Each structure stands twice: as C-alpha cells, then as structure tokens.
C-alpha cells in the first residue's frame, strides 16, 4: 500500500494544526456505549455491506459510483462531483486528489486517511483520484439529504451539516493525549482554504457548528453530544 505512506497535506496556523493527518483517527475511539444512536452508526447500517431492507428504497437502491480501490481519471474515468465512502472501520482507507499522474508529492491537491465516513469533491480541473482500501464511493447530490443526528461518533469521520448532523453547540469530554481532532469546513475539497476552524483537543472540547458550515470532521475524539 505504497501510497498510504504519504501524509495528509497540512499547514500550521497559529497553534492549530491545519489538515492534521487523520491516520491517528482510529487510535482513541469514542469508548461509547450508545453508538447505535449516532449518525455514523446510521451511515454504516445503510452502507454497502449487509444493508437491511427497511421498506424504504433510498438506501437499498444506492449503487457505487466507483470502487474503493484504484486510480481513476477525472473526466474520462469518473465524473467531477461529490462522492462519499462510509463504514471504513480500520483506518486503512486512503484517498488523494491529484493534478497529474506523475505520482510525485507536488502533484497532490488533497489527501486523507479515513476512519468512518469521508466526503470528497472532485473538480473538473482534477486529473486523477486515487483510492486504496476504502469502501465503494457513491455519488451524492450537491446538498446531501438525510436525518440529522444530535449525537455523533467522535471517530466517525465527516458529517454533512443538515444531513448527518444538526447545527448547534456540541461537547466531547474525556479526550486524552491531544488525539482528538475536529474541523469545520465550507466544502469537501480538503484544501487548507476549505477549513473554517479546527483544533487538537485534550480533555473537553466544545464547538459551535453553524448551519452555514458544509461539513464537520472528527477523528480520535469521544462522542459528541449537542448541548445547545
């Protein structure tokens, strides 16, 4: 899995690490006893593996846009747009957007190691999308639809605001070793310019997720609960 040797792109802004490598996302877990009520658990239940027939065809009829392993040419192999992979449980899912197929570091536009769910928007100017050890990718609309939750897994990955998670103030407690990382973003491009705010947290974390935010990302944290 040579490509997973690359670290996620990042830059330092003040004391906050922008784009911290999420490979450490699976190291802490949420220790939760109530994951069944979290948005990530709902996503995994509706994923490609063993989805139950609930009488609603929306989940059952979802088909993969492309596989979770391979190199895909944007424009000819896959279309530009926003895609989602869910149910990645071992932290081995790795993806990258690239401006060419050279395989060199300076060709990288964005990348990530994923636990749980990831959303990625591929632009028409992207040339290559690489995915390794991820569950299949499905296309999602410009504005994802869903039943937003007020409690989410702290290691669940990315949540679409308004679709996966209700806007509001959230708290995560009992985080240790600065392994809890959260991020509010304005899109799923995963560039530094996409980030509205982020932090690495020890102890208790409190964050206000705005209705105008596009996504909330959380790795290695304890469960988040809406408090206001």
């Amino acid at each position: 899995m040579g490509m997973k040797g690359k670290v996620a792109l990042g830059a330092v802004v003040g004391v906050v690490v922008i784009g911290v490598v999420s490979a450490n996302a699976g190291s802490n877990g949420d220790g939760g006893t109530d994951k069944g009520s979290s948005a990530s658990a709902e996503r995994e239940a509706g994923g490609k593996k063993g989805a139950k027939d609930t009488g609603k065809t929306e989940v059952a009829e979802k088909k993969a846009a492309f596989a979770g392993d391979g190199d895909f040419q944007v424009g000819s192999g896959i279309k530009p747009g926003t895609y989602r992979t869910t149910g990645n449980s071992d932290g081995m899912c790795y993806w990258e957007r690239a401006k060419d197929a050279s395989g060199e570091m300076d060709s990288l536009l964005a990348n990530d190691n994923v636990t749980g769910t990831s959303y990625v928007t591929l632009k028409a100017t992207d040339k290559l999308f690489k995915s390794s050890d991820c569950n299949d990718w499905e296309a999602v609309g410009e504005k994802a639809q869903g039943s937003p939750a007020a409690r989410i897994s702290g290691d669940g990955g990315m949540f679409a605001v308004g679709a996966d998670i209700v806007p509001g103030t959230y708290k995560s407690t009992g985080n240790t070793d600065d392994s809890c990382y959260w991020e509010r973003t304005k899109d799923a491009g995963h560039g530094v310019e996409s980030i509205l705010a982020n932090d690495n947290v020890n102890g208790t974390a409190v964050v206000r997720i705005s209705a105008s935010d596009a996504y909330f990302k959380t790795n290695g944290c304890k469960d988040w609960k809406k408090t206001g």
Side-chain angles (χ1 to χ4, degrees):
M1 305 300 178
M3 296 308 299
K4 277 196 284 296
K6 294 181 179 177
V7 298
L9 298 174
V12 176
V13 176
V15 296
V16 177
V17 179
I18 298 293
V20 68
V21 180
S22 62
N24 64 3
S27 62
N28 191 22
D30 61 354
T33 58
D34 190 24
K35 278 192 175 181
S37 63
S38 71
S40 66
E42 292 169 9
R43 287 294 180 201
E44 291 177 17
K48 65 167 184 173
K49 300 177 181 178
K52 295 181 179 178
D53 183 1
T54 61
K56 296 181 180 180
T57 58
E58 181 183 355
V59 172
E61 291 181 355
K62 285 180 180 177
K63 295 182 179 179
F66 53 92
D69 280 290
D71 295 351
F72 306 92
Q73 291 180 291
V74 180
S76 57
I78 55 176
K79 297 178 180 179
T82 300
Y83 297 88
R84 174 178 61 200
T85 178
T86 63
N88 299 286
S89 59
D90 57 7
M92 295 299 292
C93 169
Y94 171 83
W95 63 260
E96 72 180 44
R97 293 171 49 221
K99 62 184 179 182
D100 58 48
S102 69
E104 298 176 0
M105 286 297 293
D106 61 3
S107 72
L108 279 174
L109 296 169
N111 66 349
D112 204 3
N113 294 98
V114 178
T115 295
T117 296
S118 184
Y119 291 82
V120 181
T121 297
L122 305 180
K123 299 181 180 180
T125 51
D126 293 359
K127 298 301 181 183
L128 195 70
F129 181 72
K130 302 175 74 71
S131 178
S132 176
D133 280 336
C134 300
N135 284 343
D136 288 349
W137 293 85
E138 62 181 6
V140 296
E142 186 172 335
K143 193 67 176 178
Q145 303 295 317
S147 300
R151 174 189 171 111
I152 61 171
S153 169
D155 208 27
M158 285 182 74
F159 298 89
V161 178
D164 300 329
I165 183 174
V166 179
T169 300
Y170 286 78
K171 180 186 287 187
S172 171
T173 61
N175 299 293
T176 59
D177 302 325
D178 289 325
S179 59
C180 170
Y181 173 79
W182 65 259
E183 177 179 301
R184 295 171 46 229
T185 72
K186 62 183 180 181
D187 56 44
H190 295 268
V192 173
E193 67 280 1
S194 299
I195 299 175
L196 297 169
N198 69 348
D199 203 2
N200 292 99
V201 180
N202 211 17
T204 297
V206 178
V207 59
R208 174 71 180 176
I209 300 172
S210 172
S212 60
D213 295 352
Y215 300 94
F216 179 69
K217 183 176 180 180
T218 172
N219 293 133
C221 302
K222 300 296 184 182
D223 279 358
W224 295 87
K225 297 180 182 178
K226 188 173 181 293
T227 61

